[in-house]
Amino acid sequence: GNLRQARLRRAVDRCKGLAFKCGERSRQLYESQVFQGTMLTMLLGALFLPDAWIIMDKVSDSELDMFLFVILGGFIVELVVQVIAFRRAYVCTFFFFMDIIGACSLILDISTFRNMSEGEPGGSGGVGGNAVIMRAARAAKLGARAGRFTKLVKLLRFFLPQY
């Protein structure tokens, strides 16, 4: 009875201590200039790389897809770090949902998924010529890009002087 309760209490205390340490380390990571600089670089890549790829008239999208997968991974890592570091202040806030939408919107820029949604050869199960669905997908992509700009504003506060 009492021995079991004491062991359980010690285990709970160890878990609380571990959670506190993870939260502290996540806060330190998130607030570091290196992490913020990396995330700003990834954000700028997510915003401008797909359009730059079109302007450069690249034949293959495989390199772009590789960059976008790395950026998507970075966005997911940032999301997890913020959830661990700022659980009560971040989860279910405007920025939380905009970060999720921004990360998910990268999928629309990856050629494999874009080809599936546009019904191009090589993409199975596409929607074909349904113009309404295509316009809605493009509008969602533009809206998600606007959501990434909110992330840019949030990141810039680390680099601009505070008054």
Side-chain angles (χ1 to χ4, degrees), residues 18-71:
L18 181 62
F20 179 77
K21 287 179 185 176
C22 288
E24 280 297 310
R25 295 206 192 259
S26 294
R27 271 188 287 286
Q28 290 171 354
L29 173 65
Y30 181 76
E31 292 171 355
S32 73
Q33 293 287 332
V34 173
F35 185 78
Q36 290 300 317
T38 302
M39 293 314 302
L40 180 61
T41 304
M42 287 187 174
L43 177 62
L44 292 174
L47 287 170
F48 301 115
L49 199 56
D51 296 327
W53 214 259
I54 292 170
I55 291 170
M56 293 186 295
D57 200 26
K58 294 281 191 176
V59 177
S60 172
D61 284 340
S62 60
E63 295 93 2
L64 175 64
D65 290 347
M66 181 187 65
F67 285 126
L68 293 177
F69 272 118
V70 169
I71 291 170

